[in-house]
Amino acid sequence: KGRAEFSYCYATSDDFKGKPADTYKKAQIMKTVYHHGKGACPQGSSRDYEFSVYIPSTLGSDVSTIFAQWHGMPDRTLVQTPQGEVKTLTVDEFIELDKSTIFKKNIGHEKKVKLDKQGNPVKDKQGNPVYVAGKANGWLVEQGGYPPLAFGFSGGWFYIKANSDRRWLTDKDDRCNANVERTQIMKPVTSEYKASTIAYKMPFADFPKDCWITFRIHIDWTVYGKEAETIVKPGMLDVQMDYRDKGKKVSKHIVDNEKILIGRNDKDGYYFKFGIYRVGNSTKPVCYNLANYSER
């Protein structure tokens, strides 16, 4: 597998108690079950995060992995019609659209019943029809983009990367994304709507191994202008890195209250997850440890 991650944002059956019977089914279709639970940080707010990582000296310098990342919470009721109109559907309007459309990532396709070799409809174990995507039908849906913040290793570097997207409906064709090896610290790579900033990087060889490292992060998420697609207020990022070297505590203030564009112009906010997210097509085994996550 390419990834094994834990997400802090999740919902349980208790979160749907007392709600209309079809609320959970609709949330499944809209891929918003986790919006009903806990762990989301509201759009444009501030939050403190903490977690620890243990990188063994056996991990190769050619590793390409993200070990912690923050994600936006795209609203799939935000769509672009085949006529090019960007609009927000009601929940019931989206459920109706789902009857005729399958979205592969952000692109809508005709929803067709899957047929077997004899031309008969294929059904699942519950007896429901199985659907497949036909040709693109012109619909687009809000599907998200690059994580607004990521900690990882790439190209022989440890890096912290912040991304920003002020577009109300994300343009997936805009691949603005800072290259860790070539981009200078705190020099954002920009396009019309996006910015990608390497907030910090360190040669992999210098990253402490065989010890627990605790990161303490404070984020003021950028405030966006919603449909106006403006930056109302830039964000701020602060990162502390603590560990013990030969019995002595080492504290490094690696990102010092830097003004930065960080976030997404979504209605909802952000959530954290960590683990192993192996980048690219590598099949090389990756192993390290993570623990002690908290936020406030």
Side-chain angles (χ1 to χ4, degrees):
K1 297 292 185 180
R3 68 180 78 179
E5 298 175 287
F6 285 103
S7 171
Y8 184 69
C9 190
Y10 60 92
T12 69
S13 58
D14 286 343
D15 295 306
F16 290 89
K17 285 183 177 178
K19 296 184 178 181
D22 61 352
T23 301
Y24 177 64
K25 183 178 180 180
K26 289 180 177 179
Q28 283 183 300
I29 293 172
M30 297 172 62
K31 299 184 179 180
T32 56
V33 172
Y34 67 113
H35 288 233
H36 293 264
K38 62 177 290 187
C41 175
Q43 180 62 260
S45 62
S46 300
R47 187 153 294 186
D48 292 292
Y49 304 88
E50 182 176 321
F51 66 90
S52 300
V53 60
Y54 185 105
I55 303 298
S57 54
T58 53
L59 192 67
S61 61
D62 59 344
V63 66
S64 183
T65 184
I66 293 173
F67 60 80
Q69 55 183 318
W70 287 253
H71 273 256
M73 301 177 71
D75 179 5
R76 290 171 65 83
T77 62
L78 180 61
V79 299
Q80 181 175 302
T81 70
Q83 293 73 39
E85 179 188 3
V86 175
K87 59 189 289 188
T88 301
L89 304 178
T90 66
V91 171
D92 288 337
E93 285 174 337
F94 185 88
I95 299 302
E96 189 64 28
L97 177 61
D98 179 74
K99 294 177 182 178
S100 61
T101 300
I102 287 180
F103 287 102
K104 298 179 69 174
K105 294 188 176 180
N106 67 318
I107 298 174
H109 296 260
E110 293 179 354
K111 192 171 189 176
K112 302 173 66 176
V113 175
K114 184 177 181 179
L115 303 177
D116 61 22
K117 293 180 180 179
Q118 288 72 42
N120 300 313
V122 176
K123 296 185 178 182
D124 61 21
K125 293 180 179 179
Q126 287 73 42
N128 301 311
V130 175
Y131 295 99
V132 294
K135 64 180 181 180
N137 62 7
W139 285 89
L140 298 176
V141 69
E142 178 59 60
Q143 193 255 338
Y146 295 120
L149 184 63
F151 285 51
F153 299 109
S154 180
W157 294 89
F158 159 63
Y159 70 89
I160 300 172
K161 182 189 295 187
N163 290 311
S164 169
D165 182 3
R166 63 181 175 87
R167 190 80 180 265
W168 187 232
L169 179 70
T170 298
D171 180 3
K172 298 287 286 188
D173 293 328
D174 182 353
R175 309 297 289 178
C176 177
N177 192 22
N179 181 283
V180 177
E181 297 176 65
R182 298 194 296 266
T183 307
Q184 297 180 36
I185 295 173
M186 294 305 302
K187 299 292 184 182
V189 175
T190 62
S191 62
E192 183 177 0
Y193 292 96
K194 296 183 179 182
S196 183
T197 308
I198 303 298
Y200 179 78
K201 62 181 180 180
M202 171 196 296
F204 181 84
D206 297 339
F207 191 88
K209 314 292 193 308
D210 300 324
C211 64
W212 282 101
I213 299 167
T214 297
F215 290 100
R216 296 181 174 87
I217 304 108
H218 177 83
I219 306 172
D220 293 338
W221 295 101
T222 296
V223 179
Y224 299 93
K226 299 184 178 180
E227 291 92 341
E229 300 183 324
T230 56
I231 300 294
V232 177
K233 182 182 178 182
M236 188 275 288
L237 179 63
D238 188 76
V239 182
Q240 182 96 6
M241 177 179 175
D242 298 333
Y243 60 97
R244 300 192 74 84
D245 181 22
K246 298 177 181 178
K248 294 184 178 180
K249 184 178 179 180
V250 179
S251 294
K252 294 183 178 181
H253 203 171
I254 58 177
V255 183
D256 188 0
N257 292 290
E258 291 283 358
K259 180 180 177 181
I260 198 168
L261 293 178
I262 178 171
R264 287 179 43 80
N265 191 9
D266 293 334
K267 182 183 70 174
D268 295 311
Y270 309 93
Y271 69 95
F272 175 86
K273 61 181 182 178
F274 66 6
I276 293 173
Y277 181 92
R278 191 167 50 198
V279 181
N281 297 319
S282 172
T283 57
K284 181 179 178 180
V286 176
C287 181
Y288 46 76
N289 298 292
L290 291 149
N292 299 332
Y293 176 71
S294 65
E295 64 174 57
R296 64 184 187 279

